[in-house]
Amino acid sequence: MKYNRIILSEFGTLGIPDPCRNILERFASYFVPLNITDNDLINIFTIGDDLYACTETCFFRKLTNIETLDFDKKKINQFKTLGVLTASAHPHVDRDGVTYNMASSYIGGSWYNIVRYEPVKSDDPSKHARIVGSIRAKNCLKPSYYHSFGMSENYFVFLEQPLYVNLKKLATSQLRNSAICTCMEFDKEGKAYFHVMEKRTGKVLSIKYEAEGFFGMHVINCFEEGGHVVFDMCCYKDDELLQKFYLDYLRNGDPSGKRFFCASISQRFVLPLNIDKTTTPRGQNLVTLKDSTAKAVLQKDGSVFLTPEQLSDAITDMPRINYEQYNGRPYSYFYGVAAYRRGDFTNALVKVNVKRKSTIMWHENDCYPSEPVFVASPGAVAEDDGVIVSTVINTRTKRAFLLVLDAADFSEIARAVVPEEVDCPVSFHALYVPNMSPSGLTATEDAKCNFQNGREVCVA
Ligand SMILES: [Fe+2]
């Protein structure tokens, strides 16, 4: 606003560097893209007792007031503290309170790093963070794009997918006057590679896992079972999802008149851990998990080729699970946004039973729900004992409401309607904050929703 122009580059919008920088800084910023966005609109996560908002760059921000959503004015710059330029928007919090994230650095090659943030109180938690381990990109000039990663009890799993960031193009994007999205390249012939890192040591396993190429944003869950690592993800056959979020496409569709169809399906990859390249038989399925149709075959070159198992017929993404109890552990359910009918925009919520491969849906005409957040009942025992909370936009009435479903059967418990017209897109990600009032944050009774039985209730 100060300069009356965009100075920070977004994914699809080129920023012109801050005119107040001196000539040398401006020249450098053409080659080191430090004017990337600090617009932390993608996700909220915790480090210790504090809340932070993040996007996919080295910048994140501390939330100082849970009611007003005020942030610490000073943004956290992980390029300065850890030398990383981009990061996943989906950090994981382990049961010991430690937060982990995946972040990339480009010094001496391209590296995907796991960063460990200690759960301490700090204005800059990246000062109390360290890199646990690093994975070198297969092609240093074309590192893979990623949005999330898997964390089981003992391992991190990173998917190096064939959607690449062309660093040569990125370095000259300012000179070419083109945005970051023009530097992304999907290789239709490329494979997907799975890297497994030991959580305790940061050591990357020498076994190389690969599969037919695909594109995925969100890992559903990742856990160990019977000598395997199981990795569940919402998968697209290519990068068409990114192409379809351009305004032109959203407004006009493609030449055939088709508006929006992105078939994301939930897939399970099973990675057998106990492989000896000299004694393990080649050419046969090494997955011994009962009830799984996923396959893993040791190839002549020593790599393991994975064939996934489809978890559901539902077209779904934005998956959430009962994270506190089941992340990194065998589980039964995930929840997601879904297309009610094939070809629809995401206009439904779905509950998928990954063991029985059954689904339940919530759908209402003209309604577009956001990511379903699972909130467990106090003292819950069953995995799905709790509620699903989602903000929903009704495009006909231009009203938004917070929808509360029973997570067990998807019956509606309540909805809280925003009394004014709402003209905004559905949100990305959300976080339920259970009575959180650590120092620095305030929560009052007034800010809570007063849910009652029945459909129509107000926000107090
Ligand atoms: Fe995401």
Side-chain angles (χ1 to χ4, degrees), residues 125-193:
S126 72
K127 288 181 179 167
H128 310 276
R130 65 181 172 87
I131 289 176
V132 176
S134 304
I135 299 160
R136 196 185 181 98
K138 276 200 171 294
N139 182 341
C140 284
L141 292 175
K142 289 186 179 181
S144 175
Y145 169 79
Y146 57 90
H147 183 74
S148 62
F149 64 105
M151 183 179 81
S152 67
E153 300 268 8
N154 296 295
Y155 300 100
F156 300 109
V157 180
F158 172 65
L159 169 70
E160 193 174 19
Q161 57 190 351
L163 179 62
Y164 302 112
V165 183
N166 185 325
L167 291 186
K168 275 188 189 167
K169 282 189 183 171
L170 189 67
T172 57
S173 59
Q174 292 276 353
L175 295 172
R176 291 183 300 107
N177 205 26
S178 43
I180 295 167
C181 57
T182 64
C183 308
M184 311 278 280
E185 296 172 354
F186 186 81
D187 179 1
K188 282 188 166 27
E189 309 299 318
K191 286 182 179 165
Y193 301 96

Side-chain angles (χ1 to χ4, degrees), residues 42-43 56 89-90 145 147-148 217-218 317-319 371 428-429:
I42 304 286
N43 205 358
E56 296 188 302
H90 290 274
Y145 169 79
H147 183 74
S148 62
M217 296 283 282
H218 296 112
D317 204 335
M318 308 293 271
E371 175 186 59
F428 287 120
H429 298 295

Side-chain angles (χ1 to χ4, degrees), residues 11 163 184 215 217 239-246:
F11 186 71
L163 179 62
M184 311 278 280
F215 169 63
M217 296 283 282
D239 65 335
E240 68 169 350
L241 174 77
L242 300 182
Q243 312 305 324
K244 288 181 175 175
F245 272 101
Y246 286 97

Side-chain angles (χ1 to χ4, degrees), residues 98-302:
V98 174
T99 299
Y100 293 96
N101 201 8
M102 194 106 214
S104 292
S105 55
Y106 303 97
I107 299 161
S110 293
W111 299 89
Y112 314 108
N113 310 290
I114 291 286
V115 181
R116 175 191 164 104
Y117 303 87
E118 300 303 327
V120 294
K121 218 154 195 41
S122 170
D123 289 339
D124 185 350
S126 72
K127 288 181 179 167
H128 310 276
R130 65 181 172 87
I131 289 176
V132 176
S134 304
I135 299 160
R136 196 185 181 98
K138 276 200 171 294
N139 182 341
C140 284
L141 292 175
K142 289 186 179 181
S144 175
Y145 169 79
Y146 57 90
H147 183 74
S148 62
F149 64 105
M151 183 179 81
S152 67
E153 300 268 8
N154 296 295
Y155 300 100
F156 300 109
V157 180
F158 172 65
L159 169 70
E160 193 174 19
Q161 57 190 351
L163 179 62
Y164 302 112
V165 183
N166 185 325
L167 291 186
K168 275 188 189 167
K169 282 189 183 171
L170 189 67
T172 57
S173 59
Q174 292 276 353
L175 295 172
R176 291 183 300 107
N177 205 26
S178 43
I180 295 167
C181 57
T182 64
C183 308
M184 311 278 280
E185 296 172 354
F186 186 81
D187 179 1
K188 282 188 166 27
E189 309 299 318
K191 286 182 179 165
Y193 301 96
F194 297 78
H195 302 276
V196 182
M197 183 190 290
E198 285 179 1
K199 197 190 278 182
R200 197 174 51 82
T201 63
K203 191 179 144 220
V204 182
L205 300 194
S206 62
I207 316 163
K208 298 299 168 209
Y209 302 93
E210 57 188 52
E212 261 183 39
F214 66 93
F215 169 63
M217 296 283 282
H218 296 112
V219 177
I220 303 167
N221 199 0
C222 177
F223 60 90
E224 294 152 46
E225 192 170 18
H228 310 75
V229 170
V230 178
F231 182 88
D232 295 348
M233 190 173 204
C234 293
C235 305
Y236 300 80
K237 70 175 171 41
D238 56 29
D239 65 335
E240 68 169 350
L241 174 77
L242 300 182
Q243 312 305 324
K244 288 181 175 175
F245 272 101
Y246 286 97
L247 276 179
D248 186 41
Y249 186 88
L250 288 171
R251 285 173 177 152
N252 305 314
D254 64 23
S256 70
K258 204 163 73 176
R259 263 297 162 84
F260 195 95
F261 177 61
C262 281
S264 164
I265 48 170
S266 46
Q267 302 268 36
R268 168 163 292 178
F269 297 86
V270 181
L271 290 62
L273 290 170
N274 305 314
I275 290 177
D276 183 318
K277 285 177 187 169
T278 53
T279 58
T280 301
R282 279 156 212 260
Q284 66 186 58
N285 184 17
L286 302 173
V287 176
T288 54
L289 285 185
K290 203 160 66 74
D291 302 328
S292 179
T293 58
K295 289 180 184 161
V297 176
L298 183 61
Q299 311 288 294
K300 279 185 187 151
D301 64 1

Side-chain angles (χ1 to χ4, degrees), residues 423-442:
D423 194 10
C424 65
V426 287
S427 62
F428 287 120
H429 298 295
L431 182 72
Y432 173 71
V433 183
N435 293 326
M436 196 174 183
S437 53
S439 59
L441 295 177
T442 55

